[in-house]
């Protein structure tokens, strides 16, 4: 640390320099991220609540009320009548809390969790941290978890099975209805990772798309991860974990003897009230209609991209379910490098040998058109 402090102007100039190095969502070049430019009201709200700590809610009852209202909004969206839940640091912490609750509830020796091959790596991290054996279930031809594979892996050590509503690589939605039936018949905990899809799928019906049931209407679903800092247009950090009912919280409880509340249920102690305020502000400003419009925009552009990619002779890994397109050509890894060389931030997925494009709200039609033009040029160069 420097001995003498700098003046504000100098500090701001240094910050501006660093900010300049960062990529901007608004430039429409980021096609590999599940985050996006936050709504202006989210930024404003986060600033207003920058000193608030949800970890000591007796000092910040207003912030706690906003967190509770955000959780209530998410629960209503996911058809959970008696949900308990928290805003946490992200999908990773949300998934960790779900598996912790499942492990403690089952209280068996050598605990195991059945994870789809397509599960996000945060679930593998959680298993490592919690001493759980991760057992992989295979996928079907449409990259959704094979329900019979899940069922085959359930045994007396299984504490949870997991389904994903919007996989990170392809946006596939696992057959949660069938997983729910299995969970009920084996008396095992079902967690749904809807970190990405949880704020898309509920709006698809209104956007003219099919809505696959994945939420608390399914009796076997015990918890859902749903992240406002992905499709919720809010500031980072804002993950969400919802539990079917308050009873599950007993498995997460840690005493906090000298704070304004006597226990906590999250991993993170000091939690940003600004995140609750920001998510709340977005929900209030956009309302259901605003979210529907955003989802419609993203899905429309996804469909456009998918059909243009096919016209250009590329193969889609799967028809997109949500706002992710994955495609491949003759040398896909090389193609992804060439695209990055032209300033397009795309991800290459080695497991599937494909390029993955996440069509987030910051992408506009003109960006997609420019991307396709560059793709055409690169393709032309290779022949
Ligand atoms: N579950 C699913 C289905 C996810 O896609 C992710 C992250 C998580 C859980 C974990 O969430 P947190 O990262 O909030 O803890 N999905 C993105 C991914 O791995 C995260 C991300 C976002 C990565 C933006 C890069 C980026 O620029 O792709």
């Amino acid at each position: 640390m420097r001995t003498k402090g700098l003046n504000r102007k100098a500090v701001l100039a240094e910050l501006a320099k660093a900010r300049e190095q960062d990529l901007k969502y608004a430039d429409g070049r980021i096609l590999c991220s599940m985050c996006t430019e936050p709504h202006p009201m989210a930024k404003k709200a986060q600033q207003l609540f920058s000193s608030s700590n949800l970890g000591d809610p007796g000092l910040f009852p207003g912030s706690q009320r906003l967190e509770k209202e955000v959780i209530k909004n998410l629960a209503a969206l996911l058809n959970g009548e008696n949900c308990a839940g928290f805003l946490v640091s992200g999908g990773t912490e949300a998934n960790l809390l779900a598996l912790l609750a499942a492990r403690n509830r089952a209280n068996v020796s050598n605990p195991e969790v059945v994870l789809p091959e397509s599960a996000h790596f945060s679930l593998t991290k959680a298993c490592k941290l919690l001493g759980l054996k991760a057992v992989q279930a295979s996928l079907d031809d449409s990259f959704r978890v094979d329900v019979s594979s899940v069922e085959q892996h359930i045994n007396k050590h299984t504490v949870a099975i997991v389904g994903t509503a919007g996989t990170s690589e392809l946006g596939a939605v696992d057959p949660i209805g069938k997983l729910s039936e299995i969970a009920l018949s084996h008396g095992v905990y079902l967690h749904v990772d809807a970190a990405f899809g949880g704020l898309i799928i509920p709006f698809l019906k209104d956007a003219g798309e099919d809505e696959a049931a994945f939420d608390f209407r399914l009796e076997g679903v015990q918890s859902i991860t749903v992240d406002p800092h992905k499709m919720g247009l809010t500031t980072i950090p804002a993950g969400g974990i919802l539990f079917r009912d308050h009873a599950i919280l007993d498995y997460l409880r840690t005493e906090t003897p000298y704070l304004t509340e006597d226990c906590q249920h999250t991993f993170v102690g000091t939690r940003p009230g600004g995140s609750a305020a920001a998510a709340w502000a977005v929900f209030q400003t956009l309302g259901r209609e605003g979210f529907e419009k955003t989802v419609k925009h993203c899905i429309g552009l996804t469909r456009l991209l998918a059909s243009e990619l096919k016209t250009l002779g590329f193969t889609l890994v799967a028809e997109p379910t949500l706002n992710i397109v994955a495609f491949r050509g003759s040398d896909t890894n090389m193609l992804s490098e060439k695209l990055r060389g032209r300033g397009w931030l795309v991800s290459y997925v080695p497991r599937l040998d494909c390029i993955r494009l996440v069509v987030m709200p910051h992408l506009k039609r003109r960006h997609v058109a420019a991307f396709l033009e560059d793709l055409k040029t690169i393709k032309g160069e290779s022949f």
Side-chain angles (χ1 to χ4, degrees):
M1 184 176 289
R2 61 174 63 247
T3 316
K4 264 189 193 307
L6 280 180
N7 64 42
R8 283 181 189 205
K9 211 171 144 199
V11 173
L12 287 173
E14 283 303 317
L15 286 174
K17 246 194 251 170
R19 183 75 187 100
E20 210 35 58
Q21 287 179 302
D22 287 351
L23 301 183
K24 315 284 180 298
Y25 293 110
D27 292 342
R29 295 257 164 188
I30 301 179
L31 294 156
C32 58
S33 171
M34 285 188 167
C35 293
T36 192
E37 186 63 20
H39 190 283
M41 286 299 284
K43 295 186 196 179
K44 176 109 192 130
Q46 189 166 55
Q47 214 174 17
L48 283 171
F49 284 76
S50 61
S51 53
S52 147
N53 173 14
L54 294 172
D56 204 3
L59 304 184
F60 306 100
S63 306
Q64 190 188 40
R65 176 169 63 78
L66 297 182
E67 182 191 20
K68 286 195 166 145
E69 287 184 24
V70 169
I71 294 299
K72 219 168 149 183
N73 273 279
L74 289 172
L77 206 58
L78 302 179
N79 296 294
E81 277 175 22
N82 305 306
C83 279
F86 305 95
L87 280 179
V88 292
S89 53
T92 303
E93 187 184 352
N95 285 339
L96 193 57
L97 289 171
L99 295 193
L100 174 64
R103 187 197 69 180
N104 290 354
R105 186 175 90 149
N107 194 23
V108 297
S109 61
N110 306 319
E112 298 183 5
V113 174
V114 183
L115 295 180
E117 237 174 66
S118 53
H120 187 259
F121 54 79
S122 55
L123 286 151
T124 321
K125 274 189 202 171
C127 288
K128 281 188 198 156
L129 280 168
L130 299 171
L132 297 164
K133 180 176 168 194
V135 183
Q136 269 201 349
S138 55
L139 307 183
D140 64 17
D141 295 344
S142 51
F143 302 94
R144 292 151 35 107
V145 75
D146 179 343
V147 181
S148 57
S149 171
V150 174
E151 192 157 28
Q152 275 162 23
H153 285 112
I154 296 177
N155 60 39
K156 64 180 187 328
H157 300 288
T158 310
V159 302
I161 60 174
V162 174
T164 314
T167 59
S168 314
E169 286 164 342
L170 298 176
V173 180
D174 286 331
I176 309 294
K178 288 195 185 133
L179 291 179
S180 168
E181 283 168 21
I182 291 180
L184 291 173
S185 71
H186 291 268
V188 67
Y189 188 107
L190 169 59
H191 172 63
V192 177
D193 182 358
F196 184 59
L199 279 164
I200 306 170
I201 302 166
F203 305 113
L204 280 180
K205 205 168 162 195
D206 315 83
E209 302 287 326
D210 287 339
E211 181 200 26
F214 72 103
D215 62 23
F216 289 111
R217 275 172 294 183
L218 304 167
E219 287 295 315
V221 174
Q222 296 302 326
S223 52
I224 302 181
T225 291
V226 50
D227 287 353
H229 73 196
K230 295 190 168 70
M231 281 295 285
L233 294 164
T234 192
T235 48
I236 298 168
I241 180 68
L242 297 182
F243 294 99
R244 174 173 285 281
D245 54 51
H246 288 253
I248 300 180
L249 298 188
D250 289 345
Y251 301 110
L252 296 173
R253 192 183 158 91
T254 299
E255 311 297 323
T256 54
Y258 55 86
L259 300 186
T260 53
E261 262 193 358
D262 61 0
C263 70
Q264 285 182 356
H265 301 93
T266 52
F267 271 98
V268 174
T270 300
R271 290 186 297 129
S275 294
W280 187 91
V282 178
F283 287 5
Q284 297 303 310
T285 310
L286 290 184
R288 220 195 140 87
E289 283 178 6
F291 274 99
E292 279 165 19
K293 210 171 136 193
T294 305
V295 166
K296 198 171 182 171
H297 165 80
C298 295
I299 296 291
L301 277 187
T302 306
R303 296 271 175 267
L304 175 72
L305 249 177
S307 99
E308 292 294 317
L309 285 166
K310 281 194 268 191
T311 308
L312 286 173
F314 293 105
T315 309
L316 300 187
V317 177
E319 276 304 322
T321 315
L322 305 180
N323 43 331
I324 299 180
V325 190
F327 69 101
R328 56 172 82 96
S330 49
D331 187 348
T332 313
N333 196 4
M334 173 67 86
L335 177 62
S336 73
E337 274 168 31
K338 287 195 172 176
L339 282 166
R340 278 193 289 272
R342 286 177 170 256
W344 297 104
L345 282 301
V346 297
S347 20
Y348 172 71
V349 183
R351 194 173 70 87
L352 300 166
D353 181 36
C354 69
I355 292 174
R356 155 193 181 261
L357 310 172
V358 190
V359 185
M360 293 301 285
H362 57 264
L363 283 183
K364 307 296 171 213
R365 202 170 245 273
R366 66 177 186 283
H367 303 131
V368 169
F371 173 80
L372 289 166
E373 269 314 305
D374 272 2
L375 197 57
K376 248 185 245 173
T377 311
I378 295 170
K379 199 162 188 270
E381 283 167 0
S382 14
F383 295 102

